[in-house]
Amino acid sequence: MGFISAVRDLGELEARKSDGSGCDDLDSFLQLPMPLIEDEERRGKVIRVWLNVDDPGHNPLNVGGIGKIDLVDYMAGDGEVEENKRRYLYRKPVGSNVSWGFSPIYKLGKGEVDGIEKLLGKKEKWRSDKDSRFYKLEHRVLADYEKSGVLEDGATERIMEELEGKADRIAELWSDKKRSYLLLFGIDSDGTFLYPGDVEAFRNYFSAKLEKNLGGGISGTCGLCGCTADLMVNMDKVFKFATFDKVSFLPGASDGKGVKEKVFPICDNCFSALSRGREVLDGAFLDGRTIPGVKIYIVPELLLGPRGLQIASRQTQDFIHSGIGLEGKVFRKLARQNNSLVFHFLFWEKNQAQERLHLMIEDVPPSQLKRLEDLWVECHRAFLWNSYEDPVFDPKNVTLDQGIRMTFHVLASLAGKSKQDKLVMREWTLGILGRLLGGERVDVRGVKQLMISRFTGLFANSEWLRFGGVELRKMAAVIDFLTRSNRR
């Protein structure tokens, strides 16, 4: 429960920071449609489609056509992140096979050299080409707005016809391969662009979809706060790896029992806080660099609870608000925090529409990470420091991030050539990292035996022998690291 409780606390802290109150209205369920990127050459762009309507406040909207199409920077304009979320009114679709979205936004993806063909399909027959962007736009976004009564009858056809005629304009704007693009529909209100969040009809649509598709339809007691309610939500609405039919997530759920006995029910208030907390994780506490192909949620939890932030140190307050940063030295930053915090680590990866959970380690104090970093400095000095290149050893240049990356690289490289063998070795390696972070003993003898068993094949590999000396030193450093962690 430490991980889940910490995510809820983050959501509550974010709610108080944004508007001084608890989770309210739709804010807790809004997400950013694209990540924020500081690099100006890679920053996202938004292609805005200005719809002409008789009355922006009317429902349904009577769309007369498209006024213009322009390009703006993603998250451009004044306002904090929360305010921009309200404008975009975005939430990820509930699945890859649904024919609707929460917001009139279509993700075009990276820029294309031949945008016309991608938009209109082969031979410009997009109405029958299911791979074309326009086909997907009509059937996965716009059509349901008309079906649900947000747009008047015939509006979708009218919009698509005009978009087809303006495909060259969209392709011209959608051309930078370094950037990701959104195609966003809004209202032209006397020369002012109204974003989806500014339009009541779109907000009502979002609310209706949220209520219909995220409700669990069961009554019971909330698994977090203990309150009782007639309508509960399943935890899998927050985390895809938390589906109620997975025994690995709920060990007490056995096959053959009813669905209601397999859920982790949460009430509306907890669902609201968890949804906002998940968004905080994705924006500020997600590390995707340390281990290739694996994402790591790093969830800080105040030992005194969320209200303890007021009496926590300034360092702790700044960390909670700013997150782990993107400088690539995540674990060093964690090790520098004080012990008013503990960390929960969740190792997972994206698997199409699902999220595969690899490992969870809870209640890791910063002092444990600092201890591991000090041990790695000793190992680095003993096995990896080259006095000819760097005559003065500086421990400031050695980080726990290096130790974790090298441990993963060395152990994962011992896998065979088959895909299955690589997957098994990766799981085994992640388990060792989990024991390191959690302060548990590691089977060093088993690691040594595995290395020795691989030497025959490695020594026969001419490519490996080119760097064999360096690789053997790395192996020795990893063994020393694991051994030292067991001793202290």
Side-chain angles (χ1 to χ4, degrees), residues 40 64 96 114 142 148 179 218 261 283 315 351 485:
E40 292 188 4
S96 58
D114 190 3
L142 294 180
S148 301
R179 305 180 189 273
I218 59 174
E261 298 179 27
Q315 177 193 23
N351 183 17
S485 69

Side-chain angles (χ1 to χ4, degrees), residues 71 79 113 135 137 210 218 245 297 329 373 446 456 476:
L71 182 73
V113 176
Y135 181 93
L137 169 63
L210 193 69
I218 59 174
D245 58 341
Y297 276 143
K329 296 181 180 178
E373 185 165 74
T456 303

Side-chain angles (χ1 to χ4, degrees), residues 165-229:
K166 300 177 185 293
D168 55 343
R169 170 61 174 164
I170 298 175
E172 176 188 353
L173 300 176
W174 178 43
S175 58
D176 190 342
K177 294 190 293 184
K178 295 180 181 179
R179 305 180 189 273
S180 292
Y181 291 79
L182 299 176
L183 188 64
L184 181 145
F185 294 83
I187 304 299
D188 185 352
S189 178
D190 297 327
T192 298
F193 185 80
L194 299 183
Y195 282 79
D198 301 323
V199 181
E200 183 179 2
F202 290 142
R203 292 198 303 270
N204 291 341
Y205 178 87
F206 187 100
S207 297
K209 291 296 185 182
L210 193 69
E211 181 178 356
K212 181 178 180 181
N213 292 276
L214 295 186
I218 59 174
S219 61
T221 302
C222 178
L224 288 179
C225 69
C227 75
T228 58

Side-chain angles (χ1 to χ4, degrees), residues 361-486:
I361 309 102
E362 294 186 312
D363 300 321
V364 179
S367 57
Q368 166 66 5
L369 301 177
K370 181 64 170 65
R371 168 181 169 271
L372 289 175
E373 185 165 74
D374 291 342
L375 293 178
W376 177 248
V377 169
E378 296 175 11
C379 299
H380 192 282
R381 187 197 301 268
F383 292 94
L384 301 174
W385 171 46
N386 189 332
S387 59
Y388 294 100
E389 296 179 1
D390 185 7
V392 180
F393 181 81
D394 188 354
K396 293 181 181 179
N397 296 329
V398 183
T399 67
L400 179 58
D401 302 81
Q402 294 174 338
I404 290 177
R405 279 194 293 267
M406 188 170 296
T407 300
F408 180 85
H409 166 75
V410 167
L411 298 182
S413 67
L414 300 175
K417 295 183 179 181
S418 71
K419 180 179 180 181
Q420 185 61 34
D421 197 17
K422 293 180 184 296
L423 291 175
V424 171
M425 186 61 67
R426 186 174 70 165
E427 292 297 320
W428 178 73
T429 302
L430 290 175
I432 288 178
L433 292 180
R435 285 188 284 277
L436 272 176
L437 295 175
E440 301 177 22
R441 291 186 61 83
V442 176
D443 180 13
V444 180
R445 181 177 181 180
V447 176
K448 292 179 179 178
Q449 290 175 334
L450 180 62
M451 286 184 176
I452 293 172
S453 70
R454 294 291 196 266
F455 280 161
T456 303
L458 293 175
F459 294 164
N461 187 331
S462 58
E463 185 66 24
W464 188 87
L465 286 177
R466 291 177 58 196
F467 310 99
V470 175
E471 293 301 318
L472 285 173
R473 291 173 65 184
K474 290 179 180 178
M475 287 181 175
V478 169
I479 289 296
D480 191 47
F481 185 38
L482 299 180
T483 302
R484 290 174 189 264
S485 69
N486 281 348

